[in-house]
Structures are given as C-alpha cells and as structure tokens.
Amino acid sequence: MSDNFAQSTLNIHKEESTGDKKLPTHAKAVIIGGGVVGCSILFHLAKFGWKDVVLLERDELTSGSSWHAAGQIHTISSDPNISRLQSYTIDLYKEIEETSGHSVGLHITGGFYLASNKTWYDYLKRERSKARYMGLNQEFISPKEVAERHPLIDPKHYHAALWDDQDGDLDPSGATYAFAKSAKVHGAQYFTHTPVTATTQRPDGSWDVTTPRGVINAEHIVNCGGLWAREVGHMQGINLPVQPMEHHYLITDKIDAVANHPTRLPAGIDYEANIYFRQERQGMLLGTYEPKGTPWKVGGTPWDFGHELLQPDLDRIADRLEMSFERIPAIGEAGIKDMINGPFTFGPDGNPMIGPVPGMKNYWCAVGVMAGFCQGGGVGLTMAEWMIDGEPSIDVWAMDVARFGEFATPDWGTVKSTENYERRFVMTFPNETLPKGRMQKTTALYDRLVAKGARMGQGFGLENALWFADGPEDAHEEPTFERNRSHDYVAREVKAVREAVGGIEVANFAKHEFKGAGARAYLDRVLAGYVPKPGRLTLTPMLTPKGKLYGDLTVACLGEEHFMLFGSGAMQEAHRRWFEKDLPADVTYQNVSDDWHGIALSGPKSRELLHRITREDVSGEAFKFRDLRQTFVGGVPVILNRISFSGELGYEIYCKPQYLLRLAEAIEEAGAALGYRWYGARALMSMRLEKGWGVWTLDFRPDFDAAESGMDVFINWKKDFVGKEAALKAREAGPSRKLVTMTIDVDGIDVSNDEAILKDGEAVGYISSGGYAHHAQTSMAMGYVSAEHAEVGTKLQVEILGEMYDAEVLGAPIYDANGANMRA
Ligand SMILES: Cc1cc2nc3c(=O)[nH]c(=O)nc-3n(C[C@H](O)[C@H](O)[C@H](O)COP(=O)(O)OP(=O)(O)OC[C@H]3O[C@@H](n4cnc5c(N)ncnc54)[C@H](O)[C@@H]3O)c2cc1C
C-alpha cells in the first residue's frame, strides 16, 4: 500500500481534470478552491442532487495547504457535534475510494490521546464521558498497554491514555482527488488552472464569477479559498478573521522497531507536549504546535504562492522536540529525513467558519478549516444540507461563520488565530477566560466595574462581568475543573439579589428592531409564540421550517408598528441573517445590539430602588409583570421592561450607550441604602438554574425541537408560523427525549456541559448546562434524556470526571415554583 508522506503525494495528478474543457456559462453553484474542503463540498452537493455544480481551482487541485498535510485523522474535538462530523468524515473515506476508484491511502490504526498528569487524565475523562452518549468507541488503557501497542513510547511519562478505534492516517492528496473524482461520478465538474479573479453580484442576486477563461453566472458561490480565503473574501468586501500559520512536522529515517513491527503502529497525540505522531513508511512522523506560533503572510497570501514549503526553523520547536524525544526516544535517536514547514489557515477559536455569510445573499464560505482531513467530509455534508435543504441536520453553531461579527477584524483574527494555534492540544477549563484579543469591545462601565473587582469574560467580542471580587487585586482565579475561588463571591451576589437588590449589565443581550406596517404580520409568521400588543412583552420560540429551535426571544411591542426583540448575544449575527433572508418590503429591520446597553435590576427591593430614580408609577398595579415603558430612569431615556432572568422581581433597563454611566451612578446612589450589589454572569447562571430556565447555545439549540426543549408551552398553535407543520408532527409523535432539570448529589465540583447522564450504567442523555445553585445550596444541571427517563423523581446518574453521582429529575423549579416573587 502506498504511504502517506505528503511529498510522496506531490505527484500532481494531471489526469481527469476538466482543465481543457470549455467553462459553462451558468451553474447552480460555483465553488472557489480545490483543496480538500472545496472538493468535499462539490462531492456532497452532487451526491445530494445538485448536479449543476462547478469547482474552480486556480492551479492544480491541492494547491493550497492540502498537499502538505501530515494526513493524521482523529475524532476528538471540544464540540460534540464536530466530533460526530469528524467520525462521519473518517467513515466516508471508504465510500469515496470506492466511488472514485482513487486510493486515499487510508490506515485505520486506532490512536492514543496521552495524559502525562492527573489534570490531563481528568480532561480525557470528560472526553470519554462525551463518547459514551455519542456512541464513539473510546476506552481508557494503562501506560503499560500503551507501550504494548506502541513499543516506541516510554510509558513512564504517562498517567493514562484514551484509545480511539477510528484514528489513523491517510494520503491528503489522494483524499482530495478521491473527493473530486467522486463528485465527477455524481455529475459535478471541476476546472483546474482557472483562477477566480472577481465575484460580482447581479441585481437579481445571482453571481458572476470571473476567470481568465470566461464568466460563470451562478445562483450560489462558495469561498473555499483556504490559504487565500481572505483574498477571495476581499473580492466581495468581506474581511474573514482567519490567519495562515506556519507549522512543522518531521519525518525520521527508517527505525528498525517500526520496520519490524508486525502491524502498523497506532497514531497518537500527547497533550502536554502539544505533539501528534504516527508511522510514516518505516519511520515516524511527528508534528508539533509550538508555544509561540508564527502567523504567515499577515498582510495577505501572494497569488503566486504554490507548491513551495517554508524554511524550517528548528529553534522554534526545539523544546517541544526535546520533550517528544524523551517520551518517544526512538524518534530522537533516528535521523531526520525531512523537516516540513507549511502554512495552513486557522480561525479565531480553532473551529471552521462555514455557512451563509450574514449580510450577503447566496454567498457561502467554508474557511479556516484547520483539520481538513478530520473535518472536510463533515464540512461538506453540512454545507450541502444547508445549501440544498436550507438548514443543516444537526446544530453546527460551533462552525457557523455567524458566530463572529464586525468585532472580528483582521487584526483581531490574527491575534486569536495565533492564540488558537498555540493552544491546539491545550485544554480550556470551564472557568477559563482566554487572554488574547481582550477589550475588543467594552461598555462605558468597563473601568468602573473592574475597579470594583469585576473579573471579566468576553462574549461576541464584548467584555462582561463574570463575578465580583473585593477589588482589582482580588479578581483572580486558577483554571480548574473543580469549584473555583469565585464560588463564595458568587454566593454573595446571589444572596444580594435574592434578599435585596442587584444589578447586572445587559449590553451583551442582542436587540433586533423591526418597524413598518408589515412588522406585526412578519413577526407573527417567523415567531412561533404570541406577538404582544403595545406596551407588553412576550417570550417566544423561533423555529426552523423543520421545526428545530432557532431562537428564544423576548418580544417588546414599542408601538403598533415598532418592535424590539431581545435574545442571545452570541446569536445576533445568525439571527440577523435569519431575519434578513425573506424580509417583506413593508418591514425594516436592524440589529441594534450595540445601540442599546443597560442594566437589569433584580431582587425584592428592585422596585423600591427603581421608584427612587424614576417618576414613572412602577407600583405592582400600574406596572405589571411583562409590561414595558419608554420612559426615564436615573434621568436618562430608557426602555424599561418588567422582566427578569434571575427569577426575582426585576426590571431590564435599556439605554443608549452614552447614558449608561449616568444610569449606573443613579442606581448605585439610590441603591446604597437598599443593599445594592453588582452581580455577574455566574450569579445569573446560578439563579436561572434554580428556575429551570435554559440558555441559548447550551440548553436551547437547533438539535432540538420545541417539544423536546419544553419551549412548546409558548407556542400559539392557533396561527400559522414557520415550522408549524413540523412542530405539529413532533407534538403528535411525542418527544423521544426531553430537557430536564436535576439536582446532583455531589460536593466540591459541578457539571459544566456535555457530561453523560446514565441509567443503570447505560448512557441515556447528556448535560447541556449546570453548576451550583447558591440559594438552594445544591449542585444542579439541565440535560436532555430519553423521554422514559424524564419523569419527575427519576433517579439518574451523572458522570463528572469519571465518577458517577446520583441525580434526580425535578418536576418544578427549586426556587419560587409558582413565580410569585417574579410577579410580585
Ligand atoms: C504542515 C501541515 C500539516 C497538517 N496536518 C494535518 C493533519 O495531520 N490532519 C488534518 O486533518 N489536517 C492537517 N493539516 C491541515 C490541512 O492541510 C488543512 O486543514 C486543509 O488543507 C484545508 O483545506 P482547504 O481546502 O480549506 O484549503 P487549501 O488546501 O488551502 O485549498 C484552497 C484551494 O483554493 C484554491 N484557490 C484559492 N483562491 C482561488 C481562486 N481565486 N480561484 C481558484 N482557486 C483558488 C487554492 O489554489 C487551493 O488549492 C495540516 C496542514 C499543514 C500545513
């Protein structure tokens, strides 16, 4: 069987390309870029029925980063749905090999994830827990077993290893060609030596794709430019925050122990050393992510860059190599046959950026795919589903290009992509806030809250308070899986809210504004719930045509033809894309999230505080639960909503950013005598758990429908709305799984998310979110379980770092079950 050292595959395949054929003048979709990602999308589109699809490649296929990849493949990823897609990708290689008749040089050897200390072992236990409910074949093996399976590894450096059956390696060039040729078998075309020089949108929304060989008019275009993704984006004024990074791997001379081993050696990843390794012919291949990454061509990738490699710089990776040679001594003792330094593209959080670009019509991208041979198949599947069906079959939020907005500038992208490269195999703890690219967006309260001891986090580029220490010097915590030092401080914040009054910034909530004669009718159609009358608020789910959750939104009616929707800050660009897709002519829409900052007041004394800083009658009779006013608070103009996510009597006060400081001062002054305290996101998350309220991206996501998530209670079944047919079908069938809230009998540690839920040793679901409920003084979680285990009082078990803890399904919120406090 052929082996997979990339240079051995640099025998550029000239045969079979449609390089000399005439370009078509029209196509359903044009894909720009013939790396593994573009070819996989071409294959999936054609396989799923779009035959009229064309891929254009400026040189030969694999002329970007694809040809010099190390070709190692594995399923593990921080996001379970990406893991699923990686598993799909690996399984797909056999199919494309058969369809195309082109070898992908696949070796499924199985692979180790090596933990050299207890913390890494804990991390792997979390991964193992995910694998339980995802059905992935992973098991722990001892260091002794590691050495038995891979005699080159010195087991004394390791604590434990997670073994995955599906890992291995392939020939990157062969895999890319197999995708392209399989696409051809399904009816698609690809053209090499056909650089795209311009993309121009016609008034009818279709795209003219210009090349030296002619122009193709296409309904959709897809930027799969890889190393040139930024440049292809620039043709359309799109600034993608991706960055090519230099990356080294080495290949050894023949090692007798490898040559004489009866089977191909397994692949491996050593987290602490930040290395990956596998057998290459009769030697070994070892790649490393050095602690100080080197961005390549920050100003832009030259068009004449082709099949060159970069100058290796051994000094840069010397300490990683030293560590590796201690752990796999035979590699250190062998001669180095080749040292590869090649660039490939990273995104700000290390995950791909795919999907329809917000603000554009039929402009798609699949860029920043940094593990193209692990993820390319899954990216192709997802893109094809999205383009053909209008939505992917699973939640791909972790890869959605819309998770970044205007804040993700090219400079920010370079900083964060570099950070991500450096952290390729470095774990991020549940309480960890990554240091790079901070203060990209701040509110007027930033300095004030930091001076009061705020420990800040970042969401959608915006700094927001996580918790409050006793002062700036005190605002620190160590990354850990266990309860951290913020625990007691958060308890103090919860106590203030539950017993007196607290305030939290709400700049990080999304705000979407709709105006016009058709606004009510439009919202009635896109939202599944009730659209309120003027002066009132409602809570509503938003569904996809297939009945999956696509939003949980608070709707404010500011006037008969004027609405504001409040929702997930992270989803704001995704929602903007959603709303702009089919907006009628008599409705105007704007994402106004940055135009409205504010403070939410919560607690039994919040009414008294509010009363002291507004002339509005805010008594319970005059200003009821879910009322809203456009009025003045603290002397500044505001939108005042009587609603709260803490489960207490509370108010969200939204003001223009320039008034925020004044509003905050007024609240602090008036609140001093009432026990006012600032609180952060951790306290809010604790309190909403006590109410059993889910949050977007964790508990609510398009993997689930309204019935499964319990959001169906807010549906107005009497009207027509997007997703109704599917939602009705789901209601009739009854949910097969359900979101439940549980208490967990555990001390000193809490769930975060993605842990397995078990019944009698069998995985029956997973944790979507959780933590410590400070008022109720118990550990809690929310999670999806099979419907038969969702009954009130069901006893389950939850796996936290490999230990099983008893959990019990609750029937009602553990705090203020009938909502009396909130409605007071
Ligand atoms: C040293 C190294 C080791 C790696 N090891 C692994 C590994 O072990 N496992 C793994 O999964 N991944 C690995 N990778 C990453 C992998 O190579 C990338 O994830 C993958 O190649 C990305 O593919 P792509 O299609 O997005 O981009 P690219 O391969 O860069 O392809 C983009 C294509 O678009 C074409 N193009 C650009 N602009 C235009 C235009 N205007 N008109 C027409 N065509 C255009 C280019 O010519 C190019 O062929 C490694 C990368 C490197 C550098």
Side-chain angles (χ1 to χ4, degrees), residues 33 37 57-58 63 65-66 68 70-72 196 227 344 369 371-373:
V37 172
E57 164 55 47
R58 61 177 192 109
S63 288
S65 52
S66 294
H68 54 247
Q72 196 152 328
V196 172
L227 289 179
F344 66 128
V369 186
F373 295 93

Side-chain angles (χ1 to χ4, degrees), residues 554-601:
T554 301
V555 188
C557 182
L558 300 170
E560 194 44 54
E561 297 183 2
H562 188 188
F563 297 85
M564 189 90 89
L565 270 54
F566 301 89
S568 156
M571 278 290 280
Q572 60 184 271
E573 279 295 282
H575 281 152
R576 170 188 161 209
R577 182 176 63 196
W578 192 257
F579 294 134
E580 284 180 343
K581 198 160 176 253
D582 301 309
L583 204 65
D586 55 356
V587 184
T588 59
Y589 160 76
Q590 246 192 308
N591 173 2
V592 291
S593 304
D594 289 338
D595 298 347
W596 291 93
H597 287 179
I599 295 166
L601 290 182

Side-chain angles (χ1 to χ4, degrees), residues 32-38 56-66 68-73 194-197 224-228 232 235 247-249 276 303 340 342-344 366 369-375:
I32 305 168
V36 64
V37 172
L56 302 178
E57 164 55 47
R58 61 177 192 109
D59 196 331
E60 293 291 343
L61 298 182
T62 75
S63 288
S65 52
S66 294
H68 54 247
Q72 196 152 328
I73 47 177
T194 313
V196 172
T197 53
C224 296
L227 289 179
W228 294 266
V232 174
M235 292 177 190
H247 178 64
H248 288 82
Y249 64 84
Y276 59 91
W303 285 112
I340 308 297
F344 66 128
V369 186
M370 54 70 62
F373 295 93
C374 306
Q375 299 176 335

Side-chain angles (χ1 to χ4, degrees), residues 675-732:
Y676 176 80
R677 184 179 274 283
W678 287 101
Y679 69 101
R682 288 194 188 154
L684 187 62
M685 289 295 269
S686 169
M687 290 186 280
R688 66 91 204 182
L689 262 183
E690 293 175 339
K691 293 296 294 178
W693 289 337
V695 290
W696 193 264
T697 72
L698 293 172
D699 313 296
F700 298 147
R701 44 192 297 200
D703 275 337
F704 306 105
D705 62 34
E708 289 167 333
S709 62
M711 289 295 282
D712 54 340
V713 297
F714 297 107
I715 287 182
N716 176 2
W717 293 103
K718 293 198 194 105
K719 65 169 192 177
D720 279 334
F721 57 86
V722 174
K724 182 174 183 183
E725 206 181 315
L728 275 172
K729 264 196 204 141
R731 190 171 68 158
E732 273 159 31

